[in-house]
Amino acid sequence: MDGAYFLYHSIGMYPGKARDLAAAMAEFALTWGTADDAQWGWVLPRRQRFIDRWRGILNAAPGSVTTCENVTAGLHAILAALPDGHLRGRSLLVAADCFPSNHFLLQALAPRFGFTLKTVPLRQGAARVEDEDFLDAWTPDVGLALLTWVSSTTSARIDLARAVAHGRRMGALVGVDITQGAGLLPFDVTAPEVDFALSTSLKWMCGTPGAGVLYVSPRLVPHCAPQVAGWFSQDNPFNWDIARFAYAPDMRRFDSGTPGCMAAIASLPALDWHAGQDHAAIRAQNRRLTARLFDIADALRLATLTPREEERRGGSVMLRLPETVPAAQVVAGLRAEGVSADHRSQTLRLSPGVLTTEAGVARLEAALARLLRG
Ligand SMILES: Cc1ncc(COP(=O)(O)O)c(C=O)c1O
């Protein structure tokens, strides 16, 4: 039933994922459970390989990426590390269709860090914030803008180059949440040049929970003083002199105490798999199957929330189900037919990836038609 898997916006899958993950965990268990001194020599290089795989995806320089538990935690780490006063008295700009968890964090931090949270609203009845509205709100009072490259509820993709160019004119720092596009669509932290980027490994990268990544531009890193300073945020973690703490010169300054390497180790087989793939072919398959999903939506007279132009969207097609048919019921009905999808309110979210097949799409179409007929 793999061919009808449409949950790449949530958890990515690739052939052999369960086997690879089990092997990596078994190897970890053996290493960690053997009474010798080989543990860290096995664990830390794997964590570094995970970081280097991500550097490849981001085209990021050595020493500019580290791990974080999730996107929200990574966002907290960078905001708390910015030079004193950068945000105080200024605005932090974000769109109302950002990932809500980021917005929850920003709301909590605004009074503590002394910035005004400026949230660009949706237009009446709209599902996504228009690029124009975001840029109109991006005035010189904005000290930092958090962009969401691809939306998790519409799969709309912003015009990143235009947004970053505007941000530079306004003198703001620019961060981007690339979670919904990373690993499927090409991304490069240097073109356009962003100040920081955040992602998880869960989606198109097919990794595990806990394997978040934070990139900070080498220009910005030396100005950052991460709040959670610890032994691993030093150049030499084995400096135990409490009178001689100093941050590492590079992104390692964002590491704190003993790194929780498990998620990186568990995600590494998926990242290794991904690195060996023909990325253009994966994208072409996604484009072929998402085009089919638009045809299905049209045939079933379902409104699409995702822009049709390929340049304006990520890897998903989000459909608005009629109010008369509860989305939870549709998702349960699809599940019963071996089709994996999910919903946010009445929005049905469909994301075809490497395991999704034409036959799977046909099964979805037949099941959806039946469920909508009632
Ligand atoms: C756009 C976007 N950002 C972030 C996340 C995840 O955030 P976190 O890792 O903090 O749970 C998701 C998950 O679906 C997402 O779609």
Side-chain angles (χ1 to χ4, degrees):
M1 294 301 218
D2 281 353
Y5 188 78
F6 291 92
L7 286 171
Y8 282 79
H9 55 265
S10 177
I11 300 176
M13 295 289 168
Y14 70 94
K17 179 176 174 179
R19 179 201 58 216
D20 290 355
L21 190 47
M25 293 293 85
E27 202 183 345
F28 170 79
L30 192 62
T31 307
W32 206 255
T34 299
D36 57 20
D37 66 352
Q39 291 78 20
W40 290 115
W42 187 90
V43 162
L44 290 175
R46 280 168 176 75
R47 173 175 182 262
Q48 188 57 47
R49 247 179 66 205
F50 167 86
I51 289 171
D52 289 339
R53 283 293 186 212
W54 263 107
R55 285 203 307 105
I57 292 157
L58 303 171
N59 190 31
S64 64
V65 174
T66 194
T67 55
C68 52
E69 178 158 2
N70 51 50
V71 168
T72 315
L75 180 59
H76 178 267
I78 176 65
L79 294 183
L82 290 177
D84 262 356
H86 180 79
L87 291 174
R88 190 161 299 281
R90 303 180 79 184
S91 301
L92 194 155
L93 188 68
V94 72
D97 60 352
C98 71
F99 190 62
S101 186
N102 288 334
H103 203 268
F104 299 149
L105 173 72
L106 295 174
Q107 274 173 316
L109 292 185
R112 288 180 215 180
F113 291 3
F115 62 81
T116 301
L117 182 58
K118 220 170 151 180
T119 306
V120 183
L122 299 162
R123 291 182 191 176
Q124 182 80 34
R128 65 189 155 97
V129 171
E130 294 295 334
D131 282 10
E132 286 68 25
D133 294 352
F134 196 84
L135 297 192
D136 282 350
W138 197 335
T139 42
D141 58 297
V142 172
L144 185 150
L146 177 66
L147 309 175
T148 307
W149 188 31
V150 175
S151 153
S152 61
T153 45
T154 62
S155 205
R157 181 174 13 153
I158 61 167
D159 185 342
L160 191 63
R162 186 172 165 216
V164 173
H166 179 87
R168 294 293 168 231
R169 284 194 295 276
M170 294 298 128
L173 289 176
V174 182
V176 56
D177 173 356
I178 63 167
T179 304
Q180 284 295 341
L184 177 68
L185 305 170
F187 182 80
D188 184 336
V189 288
T190 68
E193 188 179 340
V194 295
D195 296 301
F196 67 90
L198 291 152
S199 188
T200 72
S201 305
L202 273 176
K203 305 187 191 289
W204 303 96
M205 305 305 310
C206 305
T208 70
V213 285
L214 170 63
Y215 159 83
V216 179
S217 155
R219 283 185 213 260
L220 182 58
V221 167
H223 303 288
C224 288
Q227 216 168 49
V228 192
W231 63 304
F232 268 85
S233 49
Q234 306 177 104
D235 194 26
N236 171 20
F238 294 96
N239 164 48
W240 305 114
D241 182 347
I242 58 170
R244 263 195 336 106
F245 172 84
Y247 286 118
D250 54 25
M251 208 39 203
R252 288 171 300 151
R253 65 177 54 197
F254 279 86
D255 297 342
S256 51
T258 311
C261 305
M262 295 295 297
I265 292 168
S267 295
L268 191 54
L271 268 65
D272 285 344
W273 164 82
H274 184 269
Q277 298 307 299
D278 176 345
H279 296 163
I282 290 181
R283 213 155 45 244
Q285 182 209 4
N286 173 269
R287 273 16 201 160
R288 204 169 53 248
L289 296 182
T290 46
R292 282 270 292 124
L293 294 176
F294 279 113
D295 291 343
I296 291 169
D298 292 344
L300 297 176
R301 296 183 197 289
L302 291 172
T304 51
L305 303 180
T306 305
R308 301 217 173 205
E309 315 90 275
E310 291 194 354
E311 289 306 304
R312 288 282 157 266
R313 61 179 163 95
S316 317
V317 176
M318 316 298 197
L319 309 176
R320 173 86 77 204
L321 295 171
E323 295 297 330
T324 48
V325 191
Q329 201 174 300
V330 171
V331 168
L334 291 175
R335 188 183 302 116
E337 307 257 352
V339 177
S340 302
D342 71 6
H343 71 100
R344 288 279 181 272
S345 306
Q346 280 299 95
T347 300
L348 181 66
R349 305 197 300 172
L350 299 169
S351 308
V354 288
L355 281 193
T356 322
T357 60
E358 300 275 357
V361 174
R363 181 138 38 92
L364 164 78
E365 180 174 22
L368 202 49
R370 220 169 14 252
L371 291 161
L372 292 175
R373 269 198 313 269

